[in-house]
Structure formats: structure tokens, C-alpha cells
Amino acid sequence: MPTSPRILVSGAGIAGPTLAWWLARHGVAPTVVELAPAPRPGGNGVDLRGAAVRIADAMGVLPAVRELATDIRQLTFVDADGRRVAGMPTSTFNGPDDLEVMRGDLARVLHEATADDADYRFGDAVASITQDEAAVQVEFTSGTSAEFDLVIGADGLHSRVRELAVRPESEAAYPLGLCFATAAVDPDFGTAREVTLHNAPGRVAGVYRSGRHASAQAFFAFRTPRELAVPRDQQAQKELLRSHFDTDAWRVGALVDAATADPGFYLDAITQIRMPGWSRGRVGLVGDAAYCATLLSGAGASLAIEGAHRLATELAVGDGHRAAFARYERVLRATVRARQRSVGASSAMLIPSSRTAIRLRDQFTRLMVLPPLAARVFRPERARAA
């Protein structure tokens, strides 16, 4: 590889700009291509924990992220009449340095921090990839083409780069038998600084309302056959949501109406990406494109930041992309595997499959507020240190 390689990063979400920042610190000015016309706004809250917080601090973006952090303090479960049946403070499962920030806010901060370090090309995307031993030829949807030394796909769960050059999604995707939907709704649906959830067997509807944001975020999750083909047409997605939440319990019906009226409505299967390798030749992957753990892991943003930092660090060693890709994967894979395995407990708590399971979850949640047990379940490393 040349001393100043030409690197294309596809995706300007969280992993892409983080990778661009660290590549720039190692003397590489990458090109970042993003299909959206600007950093994507909205989205749900994402968590920064442990190493991701330290990396954000080293990048100088931590003060801005803290300024935008959500102020959610309470998780509350309600019954069909809206009465509280269980809940816990968010401090039960968050460490003192953990942060939660809306995904769109984090993406904007990362873009602003890297705008002078990378050549951002919004409103464009990778259309085709052809590589050989010497370089990668890329054609873009805009009709232009260029040659690069490396291409890195940071383009999410449905990565176009992965599909074109590493592994088809049909072989990489591991659906969990769950769907998730979210949309912006009027803040009156929720209680300030609180997440409110209502369960029926195999389903949850909820409202996430940060006191620092003008709107609330509605979210829904429901169990499905693993082989369910989620429609790509948005109207069909809305009909799918309505078919699973046709109820007058709590405020579910009104919440569905409000969510499906939002132009930013989003629905997809909850799917992990599991692959034997995260690269092929001169094309590599990072973040959800390589190892999506899903929102149930609470680790997607942290893994994106950790992975981007590690990949840039290994590429900077200068002993070739193959060695760098191999080290990056070897160092990160155990962490990814652990985060992916954690989703079983999370789905059982968030989306119990039966009324009995809902009652047991509620009882378990009441126990979680007891400090010794909460520390051992949610923060085992701190419990051991004590």
C-alpha cells in the first residue's frame, strides 16, 4: 500500500466519520460517500460506554456529546389502563461515565468534527466495485468513477459494499425473529425524562421522551417468524405494524396513528450480521455492516466507534491491508461476540412472549432496584471490583 493510501469510506453515520477522524490523524485524507443529502437526523437513543467514551474524549467530541446527551431517568412499564406495574431508574443499568445520545445528534457531531479532514460526498453512493491486487475501481450512482487503494463499508445493516464485494446479505444476516419500528411523535404522548412501555404477549409499544428534545420517539417491537420477509414498501410496513398493534390498550392505537403519520417512519427486522470474515481483498467493513449486534445489545454505537478506531490504528501500522484487517478482526471479534450474545436477555425483558413471562419480568424488574442485585446483573465488573 502507498504511504498515503486513497481510502473510500461508504457511510457517514457513526462508524464512517469516526474512521475518517482517526485516518486523518494518521495522515490519510479519506473520501466519505453518503447516500443521504446530509447527516441523517432523528433515530433512537444510542449508548456510549467504556472504550467508546474514552475514544470520543480523545477525539475532542465528548463535551459536545455530553451537551446533547439525553436526560432519561426512568424506565416504566404500564398496564392496559396506563397504571404503573414495574420500572426502574436508568442508573440501575448505566455506569457513571455512560452516555445516551440521539443517533442523529451523534452523527452530526462526528461529521462536524471531521468536515475539514475528509472529502464528504453527500447524495451519492457506491454502485459497483471491481478490485484486483493493485487497486479498487468504484463506480458511483452519480455516474462518476474513481480508483482507490482501499474501500471500507460503514454503510449499516443493509450494506451495499458488503453485498457487492464481501458477502451477500442472504448469507451474512441472522434475523432474530423480531421487528422494530420507530417514529417521531408529539411529546404529549410521553412523560419527560422517561421511557414508558406497554407489553402484550410478544409485543411492546413505548414512548421515549428526552426533556432536551422537541418531539418524543415512539417505538414498537414484535415477535415474528425468523423467516419473515419484511416488506421494503413503507405503506406495507405500516400495515404490518397495524396488524400487530390493533388494540385500544393504553394509548397504543393513537400512538400507531401518530407514528405512521411521521414521514420519518422506520421499520425493519431486528437482524444481526454474523460472518466468518469482515473483509475480502482490498475491501473491509466496520460497524453494523460488519458485525451488527442490534439495538437490543445497547452496543451498536459503541461497537461502531471502537471498531473504527481499531481499524484506523491497525491500518496505520503500515504493513499492508491484509495484516491490518486480520489484526482488527482478531482484536474486536470477542467483544462483538459477547455483545451479540447479550440480546437474548434483553429481548426477554423487553418483549416477553407470554402473559406469564410479562408477570415474571415485572417481578424481576422490581428486584432490580435493589442495589446489590442490580450491580451484579447490570454492572458485574463493578460488583467484582467492590
Side-chain angles (χ1 to χ4, degrees):
M1 218 167 46
T3 54
S4 183
R6 301 160 297 173
I7 298 181
L8 174 69
V9 179
S10 176
I14 296 172
T18 303
L19 178 62
W21 195 95
W22 287 102
L23 287 173
R25 295 303 152 308
H26 294 300
V28 178
T31 298
V32 181
V33 63
E34 166 60 50
L35 178 61
R40 297 177 189 266
N44 287 298
V46 296
D47 297 317
L48 298 188
R49 306 176 188 273
V53 175
R54 295 190 292 273
I55 293 166
D57 190 20
M59 294 171 67
V61 301
L62 192 56
V65 175
R66 288 194 185 282
E67 188 70 22
L68 293 166
T70 67
D71 55 357
I72 300 296
R73 299 175 183 171
Q74 182 70 28
L75 180 69
T76 299
F77 295 97
V78 298
D79 63 14
D81 297 317
R83 295 174 299 205
R84 184 184 188 277
V85 293
M88 64 179 78
T90 55
S91 58
T92 305
F93 44 84
N94 287 334
D97 298 323
D98 294 346
L99 288 171
E100 184 183 51
V101 61
M102 304 307 286
R103 185 195 179 281
D105 290 341
L106 179 58
R108 177 169 53 82
V109 167
L110 292 170
H111 171 251
E112 290 172 353
T114 55
D116 295 333
D117 295 324
D119 175 17
Y120 277 91
R121 301 181 184 180
F122 287 97
D124 205 355
V126 173
S128 69
I129 295 174
T130 306
Q131 63 171 315
D132 57 29
E133 287 297 316
V136 188
Q137 298 289 336
V138 179
E139 293 187 1
F140 298 95
T141 55
S142 60
T144 61
S145 61
E147 182 179 272
F148 297 92
D149 297 296
L150 297 176
V151 173
I152 307 297
D155 45 350
L157 173 63
H158 300 297
S159 169
R160 178 67 171 161
V161 170
R162 185 186 63 229
E163 184 75 22
L164 289 170
V166 181
R167 200 172 191 86
E169 184 168 322
S170 60
E171 298 177 12
Y174 184 85
L176 300 183
L178 296 160
C179 277
F180 175 79
T182 186
V185 296
D186 190 283
D188 288 344
F189 275 102
T191 301
R193 296 177 291 280
E194 187 167 308
V195 179
T196 309
L197 308 99
H198 170 71
N199 282 100
R203 302 188 298 276
V204 64
V207 180
Y208 176 108
R209 184 182 169 191
S210 167
R212 296 179 179 176
H213 293 79
S215 63
Q217 201 74 17
F219 62 91
F220 309 85
F222 52 98
R223 296 185 179 274
T224 68
R226 279 193 56 197
E227 63 274 12
L228 175 72
V230 175
R232 306 317 305 167
D233 174 71
Q234 192 177 83
Q235 188 56 43
Q237 292 177 350
K238 292 176 180 180
E239 292 171 3
L240 176 65
L241 180 70
R242 289 184 181 280
S243 71
H244 282 80
F245 290 90
D246 183 17
T247 175
D248 293 326
W250 183 47
R251 308 181 69 182
V252 175
L255 198 61
V256 169
D257 289 342
T260 52
D262 175 30
F265 173 86
Y266 169 89
L267 181 145
D268 205 349
I270 299 179
T271 303
Q272 292 185 343
I273 296 298
R274 301 182 181 182
M275 298 191 296
W278 301 341
S279 65
R280 179 166 293 176
R282 292 179 170 272
V283 179
L285 303 169
V286 67
D288 281 356
Y291 43 74
C292 179
T294 77
L295 57 91
L296 292 173
S297 72
S302 290
L303 283 175
I305 289 172
E306 292 174 42
H309 172 257
R310 173 54 56 184
L311 178 55
T313 299
E314 299 302 346
L315 288 171
V317 172
D319 57 352
H321 63 279
R322 287 186 177 83
F325 286 159
R327 285 193 303 271
Y328 147 70
E329 183 174 333
R330 186 167 60 248
V331 169
L332 204 61
R333 188 171 282 278
T335 299
V336 167
R337 191 177 294 117
R339 304 283 175 85
Q340 289 185 333
R341 281 199 293 254
S342 72
V343 302
S346 299
S347 63
M349 175 165 279
L350 183 64
I351 320 156
S353 58
S354 66
R355 296 194 183 281
T356 298
I358 292 172
R359 288 194 296 270
L360 290 173
R361 188 276 316 278
D362 291 345
Q363 293 172 7
F364 181 72
T365 301
R366 296 182 194 110
L367 292 174
M368 285 301 93
V369 299
L370 303 176
L373 187 55
R376 292 188 182 278
V377 172
F378 290 107
R379 303 190 297 273
E381 70 288 349
R382 293 172 62 192
R384 285 194 298 269

